[in-house]
Amino acid sequence: MRYYVILILFFIGFKTLGQEYVLDNFIPKYGNRIEMDSNKLIGADKSPSFNNFFSKLDSIYIGKKEKLHIFHIGGSHIQADIYSNKLRTYFQNMNAVSMGQRGFVFPFQLAHTNNPTNYSIKASKDKWKGYRNSVLKDSIAWGLAGVTAAFRDCSDTIYINANYKNNTKENYTFDKLRIFYNTWKEDYKLTILDSNLVVSETLNDQMMYREFQLSSAVASLKMSIQIKDTTTINPEFLMMGIEFMNNNPGIEYTSIGVNGASFGSYNRSAFFEKQLLLYKPDLFIISVGTNDAYKPQSEFKEDEYRMNYEAFIQMIQRVNPNCAILLTVPNDNYYKKKYPNKNTAVQEQIILQLAEKYNMATWNLYEIMGGLGSSYKWYRNKLMRSDRIHFTYLGYSLKADLLLNALVNSWANCTNRNPKTLLNQFKMVNE
């Protein structure tokens, strides 16, 4: 898994399902593949931070203009941004005040890896080189994204579009744009090509971004990157992320994912916590773990895994002590397509113990799937790919609906609402 790179072929052969709620159609035919009684947020009802989160979510649901921010971090499942984007779309399509800004993204195409389909950032790929925190031979400065795209040429044009194949009712727009990069070097000049758009331009050296304030809200624009002095020795521009911003209230859903990433990978991102300090997430979903355990049983160090997981939780709490944190148990998977991975059961126990220790919630996907070896059954039903690690498009869509269902039930329990009424709201948001 550490060496597994998802190619763009990941998406070929799957008909776009849009924002269809697939769980209702799936259960009558394949309901025995899902342990629906296990599809819940364990411990959410005992967590004050989740009470706060659901109260804030409920305020937006009834039409109050508030801002709420969800972070979701993981490996290849999240880099692909299929099931996380479906959840994002559910929440942002909820009503007239629920669509927040698109927020932080990474231009994965410039790093020569698969980009989510809901936004587009393009340039001359042959002029850029990608580095991932999950690749041990890679060594470079990484920030929040865990991926860096390096530019060492003379000039290029970057085409930025906050919308591509997204299913939101309204297009994303932004009147403020942040470019995260190695601000300690001044080798290159960044310029928005339509100069009439730019009201102001500021540099934040500490948080490593350049911010452009725009005269009007736009959905796309073009930027140039130009070397300042052609005699500069070893010039370098390290793109660490882009943020689409506006002042709209609503729900913002930021997904951070790197193919092959583990907790050890994110430990290599020297500026991760520093850039996370720019935000105060209300809910942080941790879906890291598959790559940590993708190895023979004899090589899996459970104490190290527990230590890394606990350190990550503590980092989030330093950023926002009141943040609700959802720990998700990795899906069942096969090692090298042959052996059911028994390490996941060990991870399951560690995650449940940490959730109890820190008064957090758990979503146990491993148990929901059916436990050890269940990924083979999901594969036979076209819900997982042949590696029995990654899901098909339908599988990711089902996974999103399962997590939505669990979130809604906990939300209803916290606010004394009818869960069926809440869930029907999401089922109908795209009709």
Side-chain angles (χ1 to χ4, degrees):
M1 180 67 172
R2 288 173 295 178
Y3 311 107
Y4 191 96
V5 180
I6 295 182
L7 303 176
I8 196 65
L9 290 174
F10 180 86
F11 299 102
I12 295 177
F14 299 111
K15 182 180 179 181
T16 300
L17 299 175
Q19 194 69 10
E20 177 188 355
Y21 185 83
V22 299
L23 194 55
D24 283 345
N25 292 328
F26 184 85
I27 288 177
K29 188 174 181 181
Y30 301 109
N32 60 339
R33 299 290 178 260
I34 302 173
E35 299 292 335
M36 284 300 296
D37 290 342
S38 299
N39 189 39
K40 56 190 175 183
L41 302 191
I42 305 165
D45 56 332
K46 301 175 183 177
S47 170
S49 59
F50 270 89
N51 285 335
N52 293 336
F53 168 72
F54 286 126
S55 294
K56 197 169 182 179
L57 180 61
D58 200 68
S59 292
I60 296 173
Y61 173 73
I62 63 176
K64 292 185 178 180
K65 295 183 178 181
E66 291 192 45
K67 288 190 175 185
L68 182 146
H69 198 169
I70 299 171
F71 262 82
H72 196 164
I73 188 168
S76 53
H77 300 299
I78 306 301
Q79 180 177 328
D81 198 30
I82 300 175
Y83 95 94
S84 47
N85 184 58
K86 191 176 185 186
L87 287 165
R88 177 187 298 114
T89 307
Y90 274 133
F91 286 120
Q92 293 188 334
N93 281 357
M94 187 167 62
N95 59 26
V97 299
S98 65
M99 186 171 177
Q101 64 184 18
R102 180 59 178 88
F104 184 88
V105 301
F106 186 81
F108 289 100
Q109 287 180 328
L110 302 189
H112 300 267
T113 184
N114 58 298
N115 198 85
T117 60
N118 51 80
Y119 63 88
S120 173
I121 301 170
K122 297 182 178 180
S124 304
K125 286 178 63 175
D126 59 330
K127 295 183 178 182
W128 297 78
K129 185 176 180 180
Y131 299 84
R132 289 182 288 137
N133 61 13
S134 58
V135 180
L136 293 180
K137 69 179 179 62
D138 286 357
S139 179
I140 207 163
W142 287 293
L144 189 63
V147 187
T148 293
F151 182 79
R152 303 178 178 105
D153 212 306
C154 290
S155 64
D156 201 3
T157 301
I158 306 172
Y159 300 84
I160 298 173
N161 191 340
N163 306 277
Y164 189 50
K165 295 180 180 179
N166 48 313
N167 292 305
T168 50
K169 290 181 178 179
E170 303 292 336
N171 279 340
Y172 294 108
T173 60
F174 56 96
D175 56 19
K176 188 185 295 183
L177 182 70
R178 285 180 179 173
I179 309 294
F180 291 84
Y181 67 101
N182 55 329
T183 54
W184 58 87
K185 294 198 74 173
E186 300 181 356
D187 300 339
Y188 291 90
K189 172 67 175 174
L190 286 174
T191 307
I192 292 178
L193 292 182
D194 185 353
S195 59
N196 294 324
L197 273 178
V198 182
V199 173
S200 64
E201 178 181 339
T202 57
L203 179 68
N204 188 320
D205 277 318
Q206 183 179 6
M207 293 300 181
M208 297 175 292
Y209 66 78
R210 184 173 296 275
E211 181 176 293
F212 297 89
Q213 181 67 52
L214 308 181
S215 58
S216 60
V218 298
S220 62
L221 54 74
K222 292 185 288 186
M223 296 192 72
S224 74
I225 178 171
Q226 181 78 39
I227 195 167
K228 293 179 179 179
D229 183 351
T230 55
T231 65
T232 301
I233 299 174
N234 298 324
E236 187 173 62
F237 178 88
L238 304 181
M239 173 77 81
M240 298 182 195
I242 291 176
E243 188 169 11
F244 302 113
M245 305 175 70
N246 57 46
N247 290 319
N248 295 348
I251 300 168
E252 180 180 356
Y253 195 121
T254 301
S255 57
I256 304 291
V258 182
N259 288 346
S262 62
F263 283 113
S265 305
Y266 286 109
N267 286 341
R268 300 180 70 203
S269 298
F271 304 117
F272 186 97
E273 182 174 356
K274 186 175 185 177
Q275 292 184 344
L276 186 60
L277 284 168
L278 288 166
Y279 314 97
K280 294 292 181 184
D282 299 285
L283 171 64
F284 205 114
I285 305 173
I286 303 177
S287 295
V288 182
T290 300
N291 298 294
D292 299 74
Y294 190 76
K295 58 188 65 174
Q297 273 187 282
S298 60
E299 295 180 15
F300 179 57
K301 300 176 181 178
E302 57 183 278
D303 289 340
E304 181 180 324
Y305 176 73
R306 183 193 302 272
M307 180 183 67
N308 287 337
Y309 209 129
E310 194 160 10
F312 199 85
I313 289 171
Q314 292 169 351
M315 179 196 63
I316 298 168
Q317 291 184 321
R318 286 195 297 271
V319 172
N320 182 8
N322 299 315
C323 180
I325 302 178
L326 176 61
L327 315 183
T328 69
V329 180
N331 57 272
D332 178 69
N333 60 86
Y334 272 58
Y335 180 63
K336 294 187 175 180
K337 299 185 181 182
K338 295 180 180 179
Y339 313 106
N341 193 342
K342 295 181 180 180
N343 296 330
T344 311
V346 180
Q347 291 179 300
E348 176 188 32
Q349 294 307 308
I350 291 172
I351 291 170
L352 290 170
Q353 290 163 9
L354 288 174
E356 185 174 358
K357 177 178 179 178
Y358 287 93
N359 200 15
M360 296 170 180
T362 306
W363 185 57
N364 195 340
L365 179 60
Y366 181 66
E367 185 177 349
I368 294 164
M369 288 181 65
L372 185 67
S374 58
S375 56
Y376 181 73
K377 296 177 182 179
W378 281 54
Y379 162 64
R380 290 293 300 271
N381 287 281
K382 301 185 180 350
L383 297 173
M384 296 193 80
R385 295 180 62 78
S386 60
D387 60 9
R388 269 90 88 192
I389 299 170
H390 300 94
F391 296 81
T392 62
Y393 195 103
L394 176 60
Y396 279 119
S397 184
L398 178 64
K399 188 176 174 181
D401 289 354
L402 285 166
L403 183 48
L404 175 72
N405 191 287
L407 283 163
V408 164
N409 284 332
S410 287
W411 171 10
N413 182 59
C414 175
T415 57
N416 294 315
R417 291 196 179 275
N418 185 315
K420 290 185 178 179
T421 301
L422 283 178
L423 194 58
N424 283 335
Q425 169 73 17
F426 290 104
K427 292 179 183 180
M428 297 186 296
V429 289
N430 283 286
E431 292 185 354

